């Protein structure tokens, strides 16, 4: 994704954080999007294509626009106001836009929403060759979040929209997981039209700010979460006691929520004395020590981008485009003590390192920062971990495009250099020599080539074929074993390789538009890291760790069809189908690390993951939609769509697909038995059918235009649609019971709507 000509994908994770500019719909309408491996005019592109949102003030429609919307989705209310001058006689253009979206509680209980957004754009057309523009935008957001839970918990609560993150405090709902984000963006862009055939665009951007989410934490206390598996009936071995426990929850589902008043009560009664406080011998502190508290996990960052693209139409048949970009990312990941919940203080030590025999020989191993031993913490203090991801990326791309009467073809290449390292700000007591200061700097040189051809049978029928091969550096988050505590790099880290081909047919006629396309993509040497609670049979001491799976290979193939046909004047029929098959194609070998040691756990154990032919989870692999769209003569319209998704697989626990999960020296599960299949088989969810309606009408009153739009999704109120989830990484090795730690799910909303009224002058 590009914003006004600068790349916007996050360098640390590779993702696009859409909430950085949410709520600015009015100024985000000018988009240039290419799907798949086709030629791009502003970047080499990715396997899925690329998109650029043009934010220049001169390209914004001249208008004053105000709107109000109501909804029962994540927020209930939205107001937006936009003013654009267009290009004025003095060759200046300005755009102002702002919005607010809010809800005391969204569709899911306990999820509050408070989001603002602002935009300012100014552009000066200096002459026919040069223009320069400045853009500033941001979207402060505070949002109470939900979480995936097991089906048992949903059933106990009596709803598939149960949220375990909230509870009552003094009669008011309070959510423990609140996202708080604000990362403003500033862009300076220069457009240079050299002549009618050549142009150069240069854009510079800077983004900074906060990105954090709170969470409940506890020390010398039991897990307080209502959905904690030990608190549930399924954990109780006695069926009669389990039935009583189940009825107890169903009588009062609030028992599954957080008990905030209890947390305060425990903290008020936890007076403790701590010696050698703040690392000072003889300093003693006495007060209410926090057994429960709220932390905030911060992922702040600073991002600098500069990107220059040029286009040169050398003749009527040959166009040369290309560009140079430089990106710099400096993050800071740390923890903040958000709320002591009535306690007086907290000590910055690692409870999972206390009493661990393997750490007895390391002095002060329980200290999170040896530079601040036994640090006494108050609200607002940083603690736990503090490190900085650093990434620099320099890239160059070039594309040649040829156009003739019957054939169009292109060839493009891309070369980039990525450097990354970790800077630790704490001297971790477990890893005093591997945690502080700069780590080794890793350098990756990557390249990509792609090309394609289009055959134009006539003015309506087109056939195309494209192909690409590229490599890319691993993301920072998939490079270090445990960046919170040390700078240890994943063994045998490799760059990813991607190969992809696509081919298809377009029909563009006055009454019918259609496309048929097929694709095949291979992705090799991928790496995943999942933090998890390290359980038996790995270690005796409780701890957290990281389950690392390097060398993952995937294969994606599919067929896509789309048609838009005019039935009669004003009435169109649309239909789309996406039929995919996304699988893993190899058997990678996992590596498991405990946060307390840099040594691999059980290195002699065969941890080969039998993942070959398993499906890639987290998305429907088949989807269909059929719709009717009618546009009336009096400026009204109505769209009705019927949709069906299927082949939805839950991302699987790799540890359950190892030999150790079904066989060891003491016990084994008979191959192909019912129990064997229950352990090994991948979970597949049922297909889902929905119907959506979207309609509206516009009115003209003197010099004003009024627009009324109404959208209703899932009008059949299907509340059993699993939209995501995952198998837990914990597994009952002792009893070979896959249901001890069942899958967690997210469910899609039932009937939901959005209604907006807009006034435009």
């Amino acid at each position: 994704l590009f914003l006004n000509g600068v790349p916007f994908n996050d360098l640390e994770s590779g993702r696009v954080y859409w909430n950085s500019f949410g709520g600015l719909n009015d100024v985000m309408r000018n988009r240039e999007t290419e799907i798949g491996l086709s030629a791009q005019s502003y970047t080499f592109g990715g396997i899925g294509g690329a998109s650029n949102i043009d934010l220049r003030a001169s390209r914004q429609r001249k208008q004053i626009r105000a709107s109000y919307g109501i909804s029962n989705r994540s927020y209930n209310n939205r107001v937006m106001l936009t003013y654009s001058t267009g290009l004025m006689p003095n060759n200046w253009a300005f755009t102002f836009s702002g919005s607010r979206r809010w809800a005391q509680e969204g569709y899911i209980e306990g999820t509050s929403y408070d989001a603002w957004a602002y935009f300012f754009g100014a552009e000066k057309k200096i002459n026919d060759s040069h223009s320069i523009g400045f853009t500033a935008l941001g979207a402060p957001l505070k949002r109470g979040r939900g979480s995936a839970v097991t089906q048992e918990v949903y059933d106990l609560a009596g709803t598939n929209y149960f949220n375990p993150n909230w509870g009552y405090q003094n009669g008011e709902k309070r959510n423990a997981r609140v996202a708080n984000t604000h990362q403003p963006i500033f862009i300076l862009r220069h457009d240079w039209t050299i002549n009618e055939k050549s142009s150069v665009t240069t854009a510079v951007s800077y983004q900074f700010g906060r990105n954090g989410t709170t969470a409940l934490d506890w020390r010398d206390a039991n897990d307080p979460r209502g959905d904690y598996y030990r608190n549930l009936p399924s954990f109780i071995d006695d069926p009669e006691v389990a039935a009583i426990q189940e009825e107890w929850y169903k009588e009062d589902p609030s028992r599954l929520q957080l008990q905030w008043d209890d947390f305060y009560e425990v903290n008020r009664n936890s007076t403790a004395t701590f010696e050698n406080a703040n690392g000072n011998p003889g300093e003693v502190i006495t007060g209410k020590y926090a057994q429960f508290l709220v932390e905030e996990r911060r992922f702040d960052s600073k991002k600098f981008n500069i990107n220059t693209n040029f286009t040169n139409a050398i003749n009527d048949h040959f166009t040369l485009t290309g560009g140079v970009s430089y990106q710099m990312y400096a993050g800071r990941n740390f923890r903040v003590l958000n709320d002591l919940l009535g306690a007086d203080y907290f000590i910055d030590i690692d409870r999972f390192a206390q009493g661990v025999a393997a750490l007895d020989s390391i002095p002060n191993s329980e200290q999170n920062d040896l530079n601040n031993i036994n640090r006494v913490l108050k609200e607002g203090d940083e603690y736990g971990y503090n490190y900085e991801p650093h990434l620099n990326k320099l890239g160059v791309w070039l594309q040649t495009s040829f156009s003739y009467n019957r054939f169009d073809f292109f060839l493009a290449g891309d070369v980039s250099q990525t450097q990354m390292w970790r800077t630790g700000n704490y001297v971790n007591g477990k890893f005093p020599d591997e945690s502080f200061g700069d780590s080794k700097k890793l350098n990756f040189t990557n390249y990509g080539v792609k090309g394609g051809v289009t055959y134009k049978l006539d003015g309506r029928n087109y056939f195309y074929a494209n192909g690409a091969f590229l490599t890319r550096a691993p993301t920072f988050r998939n490079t270090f074993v445990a960046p919170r505590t040390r700078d240890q790099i994943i063994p045998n880290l490799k760059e990813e390789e991607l190969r992809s081909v696509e081919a298809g047919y377009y029909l563009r006629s006055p009454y019918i538009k259609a496309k048929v396309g097929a694709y095949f993509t291979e992705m090799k040497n991928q790496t995943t890291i999942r933090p998890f609670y390290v359980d038996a049979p790995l270690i005796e001491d409780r701890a957290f760790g990281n389950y690392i799976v390097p060398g993952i290979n995937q294969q994606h193939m599919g067929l896509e069809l789309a048609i838009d046909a005019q039935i009669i004047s004003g009435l169109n029929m649309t239909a789309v189908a996406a039929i995919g098959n996304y699988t893993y194609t190899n058997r990678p070998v996992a590596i498991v690390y405990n946060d307390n040691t840099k040594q691999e756990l059980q290195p002699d154990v065969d941890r080969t993951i039998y993942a070959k032919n398993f499906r890639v989870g987290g998305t429907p692999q088949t989807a269909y939609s059929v719709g009717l769209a009618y546009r009336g003569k009096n400026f009204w319209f109505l769209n009705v769509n019927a949709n069906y998704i299927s082949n939805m697989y839950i991302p699987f626990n790799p540890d359950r697909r190892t030999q150790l999960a079904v066989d060891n020296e003491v016990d084994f599960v008979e191959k192909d038995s019912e129990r064997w299949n229950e352990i090994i088989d991948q979970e597949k969810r049922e297909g889902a059918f929905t119907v959506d309606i979207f309609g509206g009408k516009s009115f003209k009153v003197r010099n004003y235009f009024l627009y009324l739009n109404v959208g209703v999704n899932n009008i059949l109120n299907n509340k059993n649609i699993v939209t995501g989830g995952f198998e837990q990484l914990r597994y009952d090795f002792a009893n070979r019971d896959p249901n001890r730690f069942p899958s967690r799910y997210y469910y899609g909303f039932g009937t939901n709507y959005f209604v907006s009224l807009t006034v435009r002058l």
Side-chain angles (χ1 to χ4, degrees):
L1 177 71
F2 285 71
L3 279 185
N4 227 23
V6 294
F8 199 68
N9 293 70
D10 183 76
L11 278 182
E12 183 179 355
S13 65
R15 299 177 178 177
V16 174
Y17 291 104
W18 301 96
N19 59 5
S20 295
F21 50 91
L24 294 172
N25 308 46
D26 287 349
V27 295
M28 297 283 173
R29 302 182 188 279
N30 298 324
R31 301 192 180 195
E32 180 182 355
T33 300
E34 296 292 341
I35 303 299
L37 303 175
S38 57
Q40 316 283 334
S41 62
Y42 48 88
T43 181
F44 177 80
I47 293 296
S51 183
N52 179 49
I53 302 176
D54 191 343
L55 301 175
R56 288 176 291 178
S58 64
R59 300 301 178 94
Q60 300 293 329
R61 181 174 186 172
K62 181 181 179 180
Q63 63 178 341
I64 299 175
R65 184 184 182 98
S67 66
Y68 173 72
I70 58 172
S71 173
N72 70 334
R73 299 172 183 171
S74 296
Y75 55 85
N76 301 145
N77 302 274
R78 186 191 75 179
V79 292
M80 298 180 66
L81 179 64
T82 300
Y83 171 56
S84 294
T85 65
L87 190 63
M88 298 183 292
N90 61 1
N91 286 332
W92 277 96
F94 296 95
T95 295
F96 306 86
S97 186
S99 73
R100 188 190 179 201
R101 297 162 291 161
W102 73 95
Q104 187 69 27
E105 184 171 75
Y107 192 96
I108 295 176
E109 197 169 9
T111 56
S112 59
Y113 198 101
D114 189 11
W116 298 77
Y118 56 88
F119 178 93
F120 169 72
E123 185 178 359
K124 171 66 174 178
K125 183 179 179 181
I126 300 172
N127 52 42
D128 290 340
S129 297
H130 296 275
S131 67
I132 189 166
F134 173 75
T135 303
L137 67 153
L141 167 68
K142 288 185 179 181
R143 179 181 184 181
R145 301 177 64 174
S147 292
V149 299
T150 64
Q151 191 59 52
E152 178 188 12
V153 176
Y154 285 129
D155 293 341
L156 290 173
T159 173
N160 285 338
Y161 305 106
F162 170 77
N163 178 12
N165 296 330
W166 69 272
Y168 286 102
Q169 179 179 336
N170 297 325
E172 299 289 334
K173 292 180 180 179
R174 179 180 178 181
N175 195 316
R177 295 186 62 82
V178 177
N180 187 347
T181 302
H182 182 206
Q183 295 187 310
I185 307 164
F186 303 93
I187 305 172
L188 185 65
R189 170 168 169 159
H190 174 247
D191 289 276
W192 177 22
T193 303
I194 301 173
N195 52 50
E196 61 182 14
K197 295 184 176 182
S198 304
S199 63
V200 176
T201 298
T202 301
V204 179
S205 73
Y206 181 67
Q207 183 180 13
F208 69 98
R210 65 150 25 243
N211 185 7
T213 300
T214 60
L216 188 66
D217 194 10
W218 58 95
R219 285 301 183 258
D220 299 322
N222 294 325
D223 192 321
R225 295 171 297 177
D227 64 329
Y228 181 49
Y229 77 98
R230 291 181 178 272
N231 298 331
L232 301 178
S234 60
F235 186 77
I236 301 173
D237 293 329
D238 188 329
E240 293 185 6
V241 177
I244 295 173
Q245 180 82 340
E246 180 177 348
E247 187 63 28
W248 184 70
Y249 277 124
K250 288 184 176 180
E251 286 178 355
D252 185 4
S254 68
R255 293 176 172 128
L256 290 165
Q257 308 293 165
L258 297 179
Q259 307 300 318
W260 289 103
D261 294 340
D262 290 350
F263 304 156
Y264 277 86
E265 183 65 21
V266 170
N267 283 351
R268 279 193 292 265
N269 292 286
S270 63
T271 300
T273 298
F274 202 91
E275 299 180 353
N276 301 324
N278 294 313
N280 299 322
E283 182 177 345
V284 178
I285 182 172
T286 299
K288 295 188 289 289
Y289 184 76
Q291 302 297 326
F292 297 100
L293 56 90
V294 175
E295 66 178 12
E296 184 178 23
R297 301 163 187 169
R298 293 281 290 276
F299 304 93
D300 296 357
S301 62
K302 298 177 182 178
K303 308 170 188 177
F304 171 80
N305 296 304
I306 181 168
N307 189 56
T308 296
N309 289 337
F310 72 89
T311 299
N312 186 6
I314 295 177
N315 55 45
D316 292 340
H317 302 290
F318 177 34
T319 300
L320 186 67
T321 55
V324 179
S325 66
Y326 174 73
Q327 299 172 265
M328 182 178 68
Y329 177 97
R332 194 163 79 89
N333 297 350
F334 58 102
R335 179 184 290 164
V336 176
L337 203 165
N338 179 270
D339 192 340
L340 282 166
L341 302 181
D344 296 327
Y345 73 102
F346 189 64
I347 302 295
D348 189 13
I349 55 177
D350 181 2
R351 60 173 168 146
F352 289 104
Q354 293 179 302
V356 178
L359 299 176
D360 286 345
S361 60
I362 304 176
N364 296 316
S365 59
E366 76 281 1
Q367 297 294 329
N368 287 318
D369 185 10
L370 292 178
N371 288 333
N372 295 279
I373 291 177
N374 295 337
R375 185 156 58 104
V376 178
L377 299 171
K378 302 292 185 180
E379 291 177 356
D381 288 343
E382 299 175 11
Y383 74 107
Y385 60 88
N386 195 316
Y387 70 95
E388 300 173 5
H390 292 277
L391 295 101
N392 297 323
K393 183 176 181 179
L394 177 65
V396 179
W397 68 281
L398 188 67
Q399 177 178 281
T400 58
S401 301
F402 301 86
S403 180
Y404 297 94
N405 290 335
R406 292 288 184 179
F407 287 94
D408 293 341
F409 56 93
F410 76 95
L411 181 65
D414 172 81
V415 178
S416 64
Q417 175 75 27
T418 302
Q419 183 182 69
M420 67 176 75
W421 71 95
R422 171 194 182 275
T423 299
N425 297 321
Y426 285 177
V427 182
N428 188 278
K430 300 184 294 294
F431 310 99
D433 299 324
E434 294 90 11
S435 55
F436 188 73
D438 290 348
S439 69
K440 174 185 176 181
K441 293 184 177 180
L442 303 176
N443 293 282
F444 301 92
T445 300
N446 301 106
Y447 64 93
V449 292
K450 73 174 183 178
V453 60
T454 299
Y455 172 64
K456 295 171 280 190
L457 180 65
D458 51 37
R460 298 180 179 180
N461 297 277
Y462 301 80
F463 299 86
Y464 70 91
N466 302 313
F469 174 80
L470 60 147
T471 67
R472 61 187 179 194
T475 64
F476 181 92
R477 295 186 182 181
N478 290 332
T479 297
F480 292 90
V481 170
R484 290 184 176 185
T485 59
R486 58 193 186 274
D487 58 18
Q488 184 179 3
I489 298 168
I490 293 174
N492 302 317
L493 185 67
K494 295 182 179 180
E495 299 164 334
E496 296 182 26
E497 294 183 0
L498 299 95
R499 300 174 177 87
S500 185
V501 293
E502 62 182 17
Y505 163 74
Y506 285 107
L507 170 63
R508 298 172 180 172
S509 70
Y511 301 105
I512 299 178
K513 297 179 178 62
K515 175 186 177 180
V516 178
Y519 60 90
F520 178 87
T521 300
E522 287 185 326
M523 309 175 189
K524 295 186 175 182
N525 297 328
Q526 295 182 312
T527 299
T528 64
I529 300 179
R530 288 179 62 179
F532 76 117
Y533 185 82
V534 183
D535 206 354
L538 295 178
I539 60 172
E540 295 180 359
D541 299 308
R542 60 177 184 166
F544 280 94
N546 290 289
Y547 198 96
I548 302 169
V549 186
I552 302 171
N553 298 341
Q554 294 184 30
Q555 178 180 284
H556 294 228
M557 67 176 78
L559 184 68
E560 295 176 338
L561 306 96
I563 185 170
D564 184 345
Q566 181 176 319
I567 300 175
I568 58 175
S569 179
L571 179 63
N572 279 43
M573 185 274 291
T574 61
V576 297
I579 305 167
N581 183 34
Y582 320 140
T583 60
Y584 296 97
T585 58
N586 70 326
R587 295 175 174 177
V589 179
I591 310 170
V592 181
Y593 288 93
N594 176 358
D595 272 359
N596 287 333
T597 173
K598 63 181 179 181
Q599 301 301 319
E600 179 185 350
L601 291 176
Q602 298 180 325
D604 297 331
V605 173
D606 180 9
R607 212 172 293 281
T608 299
I609 301 170
Y610 290 80
K612 188 174 182 179
N613 297 324
F614 272 59
R615 297 296 187 97
V616 177
T619 182
Q621 300 204 7
T622 303
Y624 306 94
S625 182
V626 178
L628 292 174
Y630 183 75
R631 293 190 173 274
K633 295 181 180 180
N634 295 319
F635 304 103
W636 67 274
F637 69 92
L638 180 66
N639 299 338
V640 180
N641 283 81
N643 319 288
Y644 180 75
I645 58 173
S646 63
N647 292 332
M648 171 77 169
Y649 292 84
I650 299 299
F652 61 90
N653 171 3
D655 224 22
R656 263 177 57 190
R657 277 73 185 185
T658 61
Q659 188 68 27
L660 188 63
V662 294
D663 187 11
N664 60 26
E665 297 178 356
V666 179
D667 182 30
F668 70 94
V669 179
E670 183 180 353
K671 187 175 181 180
D672 296 326
S673 65
E674 182 178 350
R675 191 178 180 192
W676 171 285
N677 292 330
E678 189 178 18
I679 295 171
I680 298 301
D681 289 349
Q682 186 177 9
E683 182 179 355
K684 179 183 177 181
R685 300 300 302 185
E686 296 180 357
F689 178 77
T690 63
V691 177
D692 306 328
I693 295 179
F694 183 66
K697 181 173 173 55
S698 60
F699 309 85
K700 185 177 181 181
V701 181
R702 296 182 179 179
N703 294 326
Y704 296 87
F705 292 89
L706 297 177
Y707 303 92
L708 175 65
N709 292 305
V710 179
V712 183
N713 290 344
N714 193 9
I715 62 174
L716 301 179
N717 200 28
N718 186 346
K719 295 184 177 182
N720 297 308
I721 303 174
V722 173
T723 58
F726 55 90
E727 287 183 0
Q728 298 187 62
L729 200 50
R730 296 184 72 178
Y731 171 66
D732 185 356
F733 283 92
N735 300 303
R736 303 292 194 270
D737 183 2
N739 299 314
R740 191 64 154 182
F741 305 102
S743 300
R744 293 174 177 264
Y745 307 112
Y746 292 101
Y747 280 89
F749 295 167
T751 300
N752 59 91
Y753 63 87
F754 186 86
V755 180
S756 68
L757 180 64
T758 302
V759 180
R760 182 174 66 85
L761 173 62

